[in-house]
Amino acid sequence: MSTEIVVPTIGESITEGVIAAWLKQPGDWVEQDETVLELETDKITMEIPAPAAGVLEAHAAAEGDTVEVGAVLGQLNESAEKPVDKPAEEPAEKPAAKPEPEPAAAAKTDAAQAKPSPPASGSSPAAASNGTTNAPSASDRGLAAATSLAKKLADEHGVDLTAVTGTGAGGRVREQDILAAVQAGHNGQGGGGTNGVAAGPSRAVSVQRMTPLRQRVATRLVEAQQTAAMLTTFNECDMSAVMALRKRHKEAFAETHGINLGFMSFFVKAVVRGLRAQPDVNASIVEDDAGKPAIRSHEYCDIAIAVASPKGLVVPVLRNAESLSFAEIESGIKDLAVRARDGKITLDEMSGGTFTITNGGIFGSLMSTPILNPPQSGILGMHAIKNRAVEDPANPGQAVIRPMMYLALSYDHRIVDGAGAVKFLVAIKDAIEDPERLMLEI
């Protein structure tokens, strides 16, 4: 009896995926629910489990192939018997120790070992005299720990697979790991050219297919600019009060809640405050039953947090942020960020956000105009904190050095008026500059 392994229904908007890695090979015994392969879609990378126990027959598709939902990926032979583990063999008897050679004989043996062996048939005498050997190709190294696409890229770029840390299941090296190694210059090769002569500047080019996630991100960004009347307004906030409050209480906060107190929880709380004051920013444009434009409002605040992952930008959602404490927000963001980095985010966790926060400041961005995350009507861009001279609020007319952050709000002008957008950004600024009001919820 055979059972088919098929691409499951993932979501309404996902119709296909790319086989990222086969974790089981033809002839392998597979237990029920054991992961057989990894499938990469335009939103997530998911593990495909075995529907039954049995021996995996030939793959119906190879790594790197695009497969549609419902496609058959392989067969499991349930009638096959599970292989029985062989008991460990008894160690062979140790050979009798050879008598120590006489000093003269030992000297002859050492001299024979020191003498270079003659060149092998077909090799040049020059190569033999230089002591060089034909280096194994990248595909001959790390075979069991790399996908076929990763091996191909490794051969093309001269990457030593044994020097690459894999991010796939079980430490398996994937194509993203090879590309990262190439970009970082960790190719495991020496810097000199032939016979120690430095090679000239490289003019090599490479073309890699965009991952489904990258394709999806590109499509949505273009869609946002083509369909929304997008506009960006800016403001700045003084981070002094938040930084002082965090410094005073961060140790007690970590000890009490088991999580560090960061800046994101303050901004999430401030965004919730702004969305409550300007509900249009928390709404989106949809079609009604008659196909006419309509406004869908949300009583809840599902805040999407932009996270950089090895595969690209993902935006997991922090549900009902309006009801979360500072500790719950920090824990939720950390959990989403870690699982996004490890490729463990689910499709549901990246769907349905009502507003997005992106923090380019962690990468050093001073100012930017973030692009909307459709169908949302607003996105807040945070930036780097820089000490700048500003007017002292307590002493008008006098300059003082303060840690300042530029804030950017991109919004859909079809639903959010300019005045509402400015008031929303001012509400965030006021909340950050007076964080006690956030904590007291006044």
Side-chain angles (χ1 to χ4, degrees), residues 38-127:
E38 292 180 346
L39 185 71
E40 186 175 288
T41 72
D42 58 5
K43 292 185 177 179
I44 59 172
T45 296
M46 61 183 301
E47 298 178 343
I48 305 298
V55 172
L56 177 64
E57 298 179 348
H59 297 160
E63 292 180 353
D65 286 354
T66 299
V67 291
E68 296 182 353
V69 170
V72 176
L73 302 176
Q75 301 276 348
L76 282 170
N77 184 358
E78 296 183 61
S79 302
E81 295 185 1
K82 183 178 180 180
V84 179
D85 295 335
K86 295 181 180 180
E89 296 181 358
E90 293 294 330
E93 295 184 3
K94 295 183 180 180
K98 294 182 180 180
E100 291 293 331
E102 295 294 329
K108 291 181 180 179
T109 301
D110 293 341
Q113 292 177 348
K115 183 179 180 179
S117 58
S121 175
S123 63
S124 66

